[in-house]
Amino acid sequence: MSAGDDDYTPASRLRLLQAEFLQPGRGQHHERAAKADTPSVPIRIAIYDHIRAAVDEVTEHTRAVAPDAGPRPERADMVYDWMREHTAHLDAERQRAREALIYRHGLEHALAMGESKVIRRQACPGCGTWGLFWRRDREAAVCVNRFCADDDGVSRTWTLAQIADDHIARKESSARRAT
């Protein structure tokens, strides 16, 4: 991804995951190749599982608040529009939670594609600076601002859910101040 990263929506990232990263041997996280005496897997299982988990989470969340939502779309990348359409009636707090879920999925899709730089473009929920780095081993973002550490001097870590919640809250706050 490049300079226009903000143009990538969770749906477009999901579409890209399906088109480019679901195929065997493509993308940045190659899985171990099968031995010559066993047939290769026709798709990358980890990416398939990621896509399936995202679609299932959106479906479960939508059905929990809108049981009459009807069938979800066949195309995985259309589930976010389906979710918004069937949850538009919710109060502001629940819509904010929905948008945070969608934003978190966008971050997860980018990380699944190996784009950890997407975390660098997020403000730290604790200090508001642009000092976040993705730590794959912790499955969390770490703020490297020395003033954003706990009492023992240990860097604070943030989950993708916390980053998404903070991002949506900041976006809403900016929109309120602008009007």
Side-chain angles (χ1 to χ4, degrees):
M1 288 179 221
S2 60
D5 244 3
D6 293 338
D7 298 335
Y8 283 91
T9 64
S12 67
R13 284 184 172 137
L14 191 56
R15 200 169 29 256
L16 184 61
L17 268 173
Q18 285 182 299
E20 297 294 327
F21 290 81
L22 196 57
Q23 304 304 318
R26 297 178 78 169
Q28 294 199 9
H29 301 293
H30 297 288
E31 294 178 9
R32 187 175 178 196
K35 294 180 182 180
D37 59 344
T38 60
S40 65
V41 177
I43 61 171
R44 294 185 57 220
I45 302 298
I47 297 297
Y48 176 81
D49 288 344
H50 169 81
I51 293 169
R52 189 89 265 133
V55 170
D56 289 347
E57 183 179 9
V58 169
T59 303
E60 288 171 19
H61 185 273
T62 304
R63 295 212 188 284
V65 296
D68 59 340
R72 73 176 183 214
E74 289 291 322
R75 286 185 30 203
D77 62 322
M78 296 178 76
V79 295
Y80 298 113
D81 289 337
W82 174 78
M83 179 187 211
R84 284 186 175 117
E85 177 186 333
H86 292 287
T87 59
H89 67 283
L90 298 177
D91 59 63
E93 185 175 330
R94 288 173 134 185
Q95 287 189 25
R96 190 176 317 112
R98 174 198 66 208
E99 292 304 315
L101 181 145
I102 293 171
Y103 192 80
R104 176 177 53 86
H105 277 202
L107 295 174
E108 289 173 354
H109 300 335
L111 290 169
M113 291 185 275
E115 291 292 332
S116 61
K117 290 181 183 177
V118 72
I119 299 300
R120 295 286 316 226
R121 291 185 282 280
Q122 307 301 316
C124 173
C127 65
T129 64
W130 306 101
L132 293 179
F133 286 87
W134 183 247
R135 292 284 310 264
R136 193 172 182 190
D137 59 330
R138 292 185 184 182
E139 291 292 311
V142 176
C143 183
V144 295
N145 181 351
R146 66 185 177 118
F147 298 109
C148 187
D150 65 13
D151 294 336
D152 296 325
V154 177
S155 297
R156 294 172 70 185
T157 60
W158 305 97
T159 65
L160 293 178
Q162 291 170 314
I163 293 169
D165 287 341
D166 183 67
H167 176 82
I168 297 301
R170 286 176 192 266
K171 189 175 174 181
E172 282 186 356
S173 177
S174 295
R176 276 195 303 266
R177 282 183 281 164
T179 57

